[in-house]
Amino acid sequence: MRFDIFTLLPEVFSPYFQASILQKAAERGLLEIHLHNIRDWTHDRHHTTDDLPYGGGGGMVMKPEPIFEAVESVLGPVAGAADDGQPPCPIILLTPQGRVFNQAIALELSRQPRLAIICGRYEGVDERVREHLVTDEISIGDYVLTGGELPAMIIVDAVTRLLPGVLGDPDGPMDDSHAGGLLEYPHYTRPPEFRGWRVPDVLLSGDHARIARWRREQSLLRTLARRPDLLDKAALSEQDRRFLDEYRSTSPQAPSSKE
Ligand code: SAM
């Protein structure tokens, strides 16, 4: 999979991309990350990428020309992509006003062979970029950062670990929190006893069916305790529902899924 990232700060990506599973994915040919400095598409002496907002007010706004030029020179003539053009891949603008990123969106994006990502700075980008260049807008949460570089790293990371062959255990992502609509069960490793705290006996039993059932139940209990809202949308079996009903009937303080 190929990512084209348009940014004013390409240098901030390398330390993370070169020190993680992403680097291994790149070495194995599963991932290509191309960083493009928007400033390279300016034509004035000062390489200006931002200007004062029309209408006044504080802060600066990223100018449209270098962003359009950068994206068009890398992807081809895509101007008007959001209206009627045919860009070769989704063009994502990072903005706190976009749809909120989650595991389902990570999975959706991981099915694309290529993604372009535009990182904003200052007060954000000129509105014409949003209206006439981008095809998608993504937020990583309801808070405001100084730039789109961290959101871009988060999206690249979450998407890449879903690509076939990137993780050692191909089934790993299927059990992860949010993948199947529940939070994941707790993990333990050696030693079997640490400062008097023992690993649950079932995990040392070697009985794979019992371990699988225990994990499923832990996953259900954890989701009920921490994110009961997720249970409303999760795909639950009859056995899951019975387990939760029994638990609720013996634990009056247990949250209901509507809380
Ligand atoms: N003035 C903008 C607003 O209120 O919507 C916020 C601009 S923010 C200071 C600068 C840039 O950081 C944005 O253009 C965007 O690229 C990035 N950014 C900040 N918070 C973000 C978030 N939660 N998700 C995705 N990108 C974000």
Side-chain angles (χ1 to χ4, degrees), residues 62 93-97 118-125 138-149 151:
M62 284 177 72
L93 176 65
L94 296 172
T95 162
Q97 303 178 20
I118 301 172
C119 305
R121 284 248 138 208
Y122 319 118
E123 279 306 316
V125 303
I138 292 183
S139 163
I140 58 152
D142 292 342
Y143 44 83
V144 177
L145 300 163
T146 53
E149 286 73 20

Side-chain angles (χ1 to χ4, degrees), residues 76-90:
V78 291
D83 306 325
D84 52 11
Q86 284 293 318
C89 67

Side-chain angles (χ1 to χ4, degrees), residues 61-139:
V61 177
M62 284 177 72
K63 290 165 67 60
E65 309 95 308
I67 299 177
F68 269 83
E69 265 194 53
V71 173
E72 286 169 352
S73 77
V74 171
L75 299 189
V78 291
D83 306 325
D84 52 11
Q86 284 293 318
C89 67
I91 304 172
I92 298 168
L93 176 65
L94 296 172
T95 162
Q97 303 178 20
R99 58 186 179 135
V100 180
F101 191 60
N102 60 21
Q103 193 68 13
I105 297 177
L107 189 63
E108 169 199 320
L109 298 181
S110 74
R111 296 189 176 123
Q112 296 284 344
R114 185 177 183 183
L115 290 176
I117 300 180
I118 301 172
C119 305
R121 284 248 138 208
Y122 319 118
E123 279 306 316
V125 303
D126 184 285
E127 185 67 2
R128 287 162 289 190
V129 171
R130 193 188 67 73
E131 288 174 336
H132 302 293
L133 183 63
V134 308
T135 61
D136 196 358
E137 295 171 58
I138 292 183
S139 163

